[in-house]
Amino acid sequence: MDDTRRRGRGLRVLAGVPLTAVLALATTAVSAQELVWARYGDIDSLDPHRATSTLSMQVWDQIYDTLLAFDMDGKPGPNMAKSWTVSDDGLEYTFTLNEGIKCHDGTDFDANDVKFTIDRAFGDTPSLTRTSWGPITDVTVVDPLSFKVTLGSKFGAFLPFLADSFSSMICDTNTVDTFGSATAIGTGPFVLDEWVKGSEVALSKNPDYVNFGEPYDNKGAPHIDKLLIRTVPEAQTRLAALRTGEVDIAEPPFDDIESIKSAGELEIMVAENTGQDVFWEFTTSRPPFDDIRARQAVAYATDPQMAIDIIYGGLTNREWCPVARGVFGNDQEFCKQFGYEYDPEKAKALLAEMGFGPDNPMKTTMFVWTGGNRHKLAEIFQSQLAQVGIEAGIEIMDIGTMNARVKAQNEDATSDEPGTFDMMTWSWYDPDILYQLWHSPGAYSGFSTPELDAMLEETRTTIEPEARLEKVQAVIQYLMENAVHIGLYSPGWEWVFAVRPEVEGFKVGPFLHPSFLDVKMSSDG
């Protein structure tokens, strides 16, 4: 990196450059507020309708804004929309927008942009999270600052969804072919300068930004001038760059966290209320996991608490529920009633019933996605499974590849190869994630039954909180008793940040949304 781009750190005098020019460069370097955030992977798309990854979502947070915003407790409230009313039958929502919201190209953001965004999510190439928008049948522009959304049925997760990045508002000038790959016009705190795929997303502050609802102190434009989001796959490379000052924020190597804390050179921040859930799921379309006993055997044979203690220490928690801590419906004691305590003898007994034993192990393959020391976690689970007579190979792949492989496995009911299972990961803000995953055909064409479909539909159409909780927990019980969704731990990815001392005001909002609105860069770190 050109040292003159950093805040005066390591400024070098270049041969042949006049002293006045060097001094001018130094002044620019000190005054320019630039932050470099290194992550293990790149975004999938700048288009919030074309990806579902956390890596993408966290970039959308900077470029776009949402109609509602989560407070620090994860409750949705006003943001771009300052108010709304709901009809008595719960099927019509009328919203009023704040005045003065500007798109990055200088045009006014109004109700027409909202209609453009939602219509596009249901268009010929719909959003990958189309079902998350709910049963929307119509969006009507009432006037430039108000619009009405009509639903075909009640939808309990509608308002929370409008606070999530997947509902990012897109300006209606995004009609060019390069949208999502080279261009992205939003209203968020930062403007896209350039996306160099596999390398860097370069952003500049939006001087017109007004914070109407995000739970941060700064109500205007960001303090920093530039935000550079770099792809640095190797954890040790990220740590080295943090130590030299080339990088300001990054996920550190987990094996080095204690030594980093002891040295005091970097601050370690652990995000809370991430909405992340890491769990076992199974190919149920063919043996062995079309038999509930095989699924239960895996659940009884693995000891998540021991594994996460070894790999992550106190940085994460054993998760008993199919929805993560901080999400509506999560109740550890309730879920534990239907969970699977580590019990290798029960696992062996179930396998014996199926005809497996020491001389005839149950063979399968475990899919795991890269990063976060998950390969080490998988090796511990592999050893635990071997002790009860389950011979599980391990395949490591990126999350996009794993999602595609899981779906393909579920849709191949005639293969002679044993069915696989995987360490799946999802982050969501509402128990509606269970609908996305398990209502037929499901996100991965996996386990489904008419009974479960009916129960999941009730979780969506029940709005009153106590009644909805009852419906959600009925689904949780069903999934756990049928060994369909076996919670392992939460949080599970990109939730630990190492931060240089020059960085002041960095915050991570609920459901793992890093914010740079309050960030300032000091020169005496």
Side-chain angles (χ1 to χ4, degrees):
M1 161 179 277
D2 181 349
D3 294 339
T4 60
R5 293 180 64 194
R6 308 294 296 154
R7 297 157 294 278
R9 281 189 236 148
L11 184 67
R12 63 189 177 202
V13 178
L14 305 177
V17 177
L19 179 60
T20 53
V22 172
L23 291 174
L25 282 171
T27 302
T28 301
V30 171
S31 61
Q33 294 266 307
E34 176 185 288
L35 184 142
V36 180
W37 176 22
R39 309 184 304 167
Y40 80 90
D42 197 7
I43 64 172
D44 301 295
S45 175
L46 293 162
D47 181 349
H49 293 169
R50 300 289 171 261
T52 61
S53 68
T54 298
L55 290 170
S56 298
M57 174 192 74
Q58 291 177 335
V59 174
W60 303 336
D61 285 345
Q62 317 311 322
I63 299 172
Y64 308 105
D65 212 344
T66 50
L67 293 173
L68 307 187
F70 291 118
D71 64 18
M72 293 306 285
D73 295 321
K75 302 291 191 301
N79 190 31
M80 298 175 81
K82 66 180 180 180
S83 63
W84 58 91
T85 59
V86 185
S87 62
D88 291 340
D89 61 6
L91 300 180
E92 290 185 352
Y93 290 73
T94 302
F95 296 85
T96 301
L97 295 170
N98 278 293
E99 295 183 38
I101 302 175
K102 292 283 188 181
C103 294
H104 294 158
D105 60 358
T107 58
D108 292 328
F109 180 90
D110 63 22
N112 292 291
D113 297 283
V114 177
K115 179 174 173 57
F116 170 79
T117 300
I118 300 176
D119 285 350
R120 185 175 183 272
F122 286 81
D124 294 336
T125 53
S127 170
L128 293 180
T129 55
R130 172 178 174 171
T131 57
S132 301
W133 288 88
I136 294 175
T137 59
D138 185 62
V139 182
T140 303
V141 174
V142 178
D143 58 51
L145 292 178
S146 60
F147 61 95
K148 181 173 68 176
V149 178
T150 303
L151 306 178
S153 59
K154 293 181 180 179
F155 181 40
F158 181 54
L159 291 178
F161 179 70
L162 297 183
D164 188 77
S165 304
F166 291 111
S167 71
S168 293
M169 289 291 111
I170 303 168
C171 294
D172 63 11
T173 46
N174 284 299
T175 55
V176 295
D177 292 339
T178 56
F179 173 59
S181 59
T183 58
I185 302 170
T187 64
F190 291 92
V191 178
L192 175 70
D193 291 333
E194 184 181 25
W195 174 24
V196 181
K197 292 185 180 181
S199 178
E200 179 178 276
V201 179
L203 307 173
S204 296
K205 76 174 179 181
N206 172 12
D208 296 323
Y209 184 71
V210 179
N211 172 15
F212 289 105
E214 297 288 346
Y216 308 109
D217 295 336
N218 183 11
K219 298 305 176 186
H223 302 298
I224 59 174
D225 300 296
K226 295 279 187 180
L227 175 60
L228 306 178
I229 305 174
R230 295 217 170 111
T231 300
V232 183
E234 295 300 324
Q236 288 297 334
T237 305
R238 294 195 298 270
L239 179 58
L242 279 163
R243 285 173 168 157
T244 62
E246 292 179 79
V247 164
D248 299 295
I249 299 173
E251 182 182 70
F254 285 95
D255 295 339
D256 292 284
I257 286 177
E258 288 307 315
S259 63
I260 293 171
K261 287 180 178 178
S262 299
E265 57 186 325
L266 302 167
E267 180 185 359
I268 296 294
M269 291 183 60
V270 180
E272 299 178 358
N273 191 18
T274 64
Q276 294 177 345
D277 182 30
V278 183
F279 56 96
W280 290 137
E281 70 169 351
F282 306 87
T283 298
T284 58
S285 60
R286 64 179 193 268
F289 297 120
D290 58 348
D291 190 322
I292 187 176
R293 294 173 297 180
R295 305 194 296 268
Q296 290 175 329
V298 169
Y300 281 126
T302 48
D303 185 353
Q305 190 65 62
M306 183 186 83
I308 63 175
D309 284 348
I310 292 171
I311 302 302
Y312 300 126
L315 294 173
T316 189
N317 302 293
R318 171 74 166 94
E319 181 53 73
W320 288 97
C321 294
V323 294
R325 295 163 193 255
V327 176
F328 182 80
N330 180 289
D331 181 329
Q332 296 297 300
E333 292 306 313
F334 174 83
C335 294
K336 196 170 182 180
Q337 298 175 70
F338 312 105
Y340 300 87
E341 294 271 11
Y342 178 56
D343 193 333
E345 295 308 313
K346 279 188 179 179
K348 290 177 183 177
L350 288 164
L351 292 168
E353 287 180 18
M354 297 178 66
F356 297 110
D359 299 324
N360 180 34
M362 187 178 84
K363 295 183 178 181
T364 183
T365 301
M366 181 197 314
F367 293 167
V368 182
W369 63 294
T370 53
N373 274 9
R374 279 179 291 276
H375 64 293
K376 294 184 178 180
L377 202 64
E379 290 170 358
I380 294 174
F381 288 138
Q382 182 186 49
S383 176
Q384 292 173 349
L385 291 167
Q387 292 171 25
V388 304
I390 300 175
E391 187 179 303
I394 298 173
E395 291 190 24
I396 309 289
M397 61 200 81
D398 66 85
I399 187 63
T401 300
M402 190 176 91
N403 289 343
R405 289 282 301 278
V406 168
K407 185 175 176 65
Q409 285 282 313
N410 282 324
E411 293 175 351
D412 186 1
T414 60
S415 173
D416 293 332
E417 293 295 317
T420 61
F421 72 117
D422 55 275
M423 200 188 304
M424 182 51 73
T425 54
W426 264 91
S427 175
W428 211 246
Y429 52 87
D430 187 89
D432 195 53
I433 184 59
L434 301 178
Y435 184 97
Q436 314 298 322
L437 291 171
W438 304 116
H439 188 281
S440 59
Y444 306 109
S445 304
F447 180 93
S448 65
T449 65
E451 180 184 8
L452 179 57
D453 279 355
M455 295 168 68
L456 286 164
E457 285 160 11
E458 288 184 338
T459 68
R460 298 195 119 197
T461 57
T462 305
I463 294 178
E464 195 279 320
E466 288 188 12
R468 188 174 187 231
L469 178 61
E470 183 179 329
K471 303 296 185 183
V472 167
Q473 292 191 331
V475 168
I476 286 172
Q477 180 177 342
Y478 186 95
L479 292 171
M480 297 181 71
E481 288 181 337
N482 285 278
V484 172
H485 186 137
I486 307 296
L488 296 173
Y489 63 99
S490 177
W493 60 98
E494 302 159 57
W495 81 99
V496 181
F497 301 83
V499 184
R500 281 192 61 83
E502 294 91 352
V503 180
E504 300 174 354
F506 175 63
K507 297 181 176 71
V508 182
F511 312 123
L512 202 61
H513 294 275
S515 171
F516 300 89
L517 267 180
D518 289 341
V519 168
K520 296 179 181 179
M521 306 296 293
S522 69
S523 57
D524 54 4

